[in-house]
Amino acid sequence: MFALRWIAFALLTLPLLTACGSNAVRPGSLPNSYDLDEVPLEVAAARDELARAEGEDVRFALGRLDIAIDTNGLSNDQQREIQQLRTRAAQARLQELSGGEPSRTNARTLEAIAQLELPGELAVRLTVEAASQWLAIGERRKSYKVLKKLDEQYPLHAERLAAGSILAEAGLSLAYDTGWYGLFFDYAALAPDVLVYFTTNYPDHPRGPEAYLALSHRHEENRRWDSAILNHEDLILFYPNSPEAIESRAHVPRLRLAMLASPEYDRGVLVLARTELDAWLADNQDMGHPMEASVKLDRLDCIQRLADNDLSVARFYDRVDNATGAQFHARRAVELSRDGGDIKQIQEAEALQAKVAAEGTTP
């Protein structure tokens, strides 16, 4: 019964929705259609309204022409003239609406005009302006959906820089929005869809680094370390000379360390993290970068974990009477612990080294 009620509601409201979309282009005071002999007078009226281009004139001109173009029996010359005038009217309407205060009504009107049979370049400009107005009134997801549909229709359109800027702003605004909607859902959870679409489809956009960082931080908040690392690595790959790339190069080894929760660390990951931290310091030390102190702390953490790993392995070899292995790992644990600077760890490593060395010389 509930489903049937919704179906009935949808059927009843469909004509209303269609009418709203039509009225966005055709003022309600105009008729739904013209007779063929009425078309010349309506076209002349529209031409006069376009010449004045004041107040409601442009809206009525576009409406008259949109109705006229659907009239049966038009000659080729009439169709060509009406289409040319309708394109002029759409351009004038775009200029009029883009110069006013952004609103839901204006955004919908721009979308409706863009759906008319117009030159592709004009349709793109209308749609981008609609998306801009949706964003301006806080409808971030709506602006994203409008532009995604535009990209599907015109993949190589000429307004990609402007469209990308709108997508980036929509996604970043969501990513850092601490508010909630629908009582239980946070706006920030909507950001990844927008930002992933933006970074995938606008890989060279100047705001790409910001988007990658926001995605990484979102994944990090959810403890999705691998995904966070991948976003940082993409940022470094696509924007190697950006200030954000320096930040990402510092974040990647820190996230690798965050992934290793067990005392029996994956030594390969630790070695890789240390290599990355050493490389960062080699390139940026003493440059006044705000992350330098944290990178140095991460390096000490990494080295101390490597020392712990060698201590664990040395004890294992000691238990199974492998003196060579025990001595090698104990010696390396001493070297690493001294580099790491933890006094307690240094003492522990030196004590183990002395023990296995003494056992190795016992007949």
Side-chain angles (χ1 to χ4, degrees), residues 24-348:
V25 177
R26 302 176 180 181
S29 57
L30 293 177
N32 292 326
S33 63
Y34 296 135
D35 293 331
L36 184 60
D37 59 357
E38 294 177 305
V39 169
L41 291 175
E42 296 298 332
V43 170
R47 190 183 295 108
D48 289 342
E49 288 164 342
L50 281 176
R52 292 193 299 271
E54 296 175 356
E56 292 288 288
D57 289 342
V58 174
R59 188 165 75 98
F60 274 90
L62 180 59
R64 293 181 201 281
L65 295 164
D66 191 52
I67 298 168
I69 198 72
D70 289 337
T71 306
N72 292 326
L74 294 174
S75 68
N76 290 338
D77 287 342
Q78 284 179 310
Q79 290 179 348
R80 189 179 305 110
E81 179 187 18
I82 295 170
Q83 183 58 43
Q84 289 173 346
L85 286 172
R86 189 171 67 164
T87 298
R88 276 181 53 197
Q91 290 172 328
R93 196 83 169 102
L94 169 61
Q95 184 175 359
E96 179 182 69
L97 293 173
S98 60
E101 188 73 19
S103 69
R104 188 179 301 270
T105 299
N106 287 355
R108 285 175 174 164
T109 299
L110 287 160
E111 281 191 82
I113 297 172
Q115 296 306 308
L116 303 178
E117 188 177 339
L118 298 170
E121 181 182 355
L122 177 56
V124 167
R125 288 167 52 208
L126 284 157
T127 306
V128 171
E129 177 60 27
S132 177
Q133 297 212 12
W134 283 122
L135 177 62
I137 63 174
E139 295 284 352
R140 295 162 291 187
R141 286 281 296 179
K142 178 66 175 176
S143 68
Y144 154 62
K145 291 178 180 179
V146 166
L147 290 175
K148 184 178 180 182
K149 184 177 180 181
L150 175 68
D151 287 341
E152 291 170 358
Q153 189 173 3
Y154 300 99
L156 302 176
H157 64 79
E159 298 293 323
R160 287 183 59 79
L161 181 61
S165 296
I166 294 168
L167 285 166
E169 184 60 33
L172 290 166
S173 174
L174 287 168
Y176 297 112
D177 191 331
T178 57
W180 296 75
Y181 68 98
L183 298 179
F184 304 107
F185 306 100
D186 61 321
Y187 283 110
L190 301 175
D193 281 351
V194 182
L195 293 175
V196 167
Y197 179 81
F198 167 66
T199 55
T200 301
N201 292 277
Y202 293 78
D204 300 322
H205 196 277
R207 300 200 70 180
E210 297 175 73
Y212 277 119
L213 281 182
L215 277 171
S216 299
H217 293 158
R218 180 68 185 175
H219 290 312
E220 188 175 344
E221 288 173 0
N222 295 323
R223 302 180 68 81
R224 297 175 60 190
W225 311 121
D226 286 334
S227 296
I229 288 172
L230 284 173
N231 284 129
H232 282 300
E233 289 178 335
D234 283 343
L235 193 164
I236 295 166
L237 176 64
F238 293 118
Y239 301 90
N241 299 316
S242 66
E244 291 85 356
I246 300 175
E247 183 177 342
S248 283
R249 286 183 61 198
H251 277 294
V252 168
R254 180 180 58 79
L255 292 171
R256 296 196 199 283
L257 295 176
M259 293 171 64
L260 303 176
S262 170
E264 286 72 34
Y265 306 114
D266 184 330
R267 189 174 188 87
V269 174
L270 289 171
V271 170
L272 176 57
R274 180 183 178 180
T275 300
E276 292 168 336
L277 291 164
D278 286 342
W280 193 97
L281 289 170
D283 292 339
N284 301 287
Q285 192 166 7
D286 300 325
M287 301 290 288
H289 195 280
M291 295 196 71
E292 181 177 339
S294 64
V295 170
K296 288 180 177 178
L297 288 175
D298 288 338
R299 182 181 181 277
L300 290 177
D301 178 29
C302 185
I303 290 172
Q304 289 165 8
R305 294 195 199 194
L306 284 166
D308 278 342
N309 178 271
D310 274 315
L311 284 169
S312 178
V313 175
R315 291 190 190 99
F316 168 77
Y317 280 133
D318 187 37
R319 286 197 303 273
V320 298
D321 296 325
N322 184 331
T324 301
Q327 290 171 6
F328 171 81
H329 286 281
R331 182 171 61 252
R332 195 164 66 178
V334 170
E335 294 171 356
L336 286 166
S337 63
R338 288 172 179 170
D339 191 9
D342 186 311
I343 300 301
K344 184 178 179 180
Q345 188 183 59
I346 294 170
Q347 292 171 345
E348 184 181 355

Side-chain angles (χ1 to χ4, degrees), residues 357-363:
E359 292 173 347
T361 58
T362 301

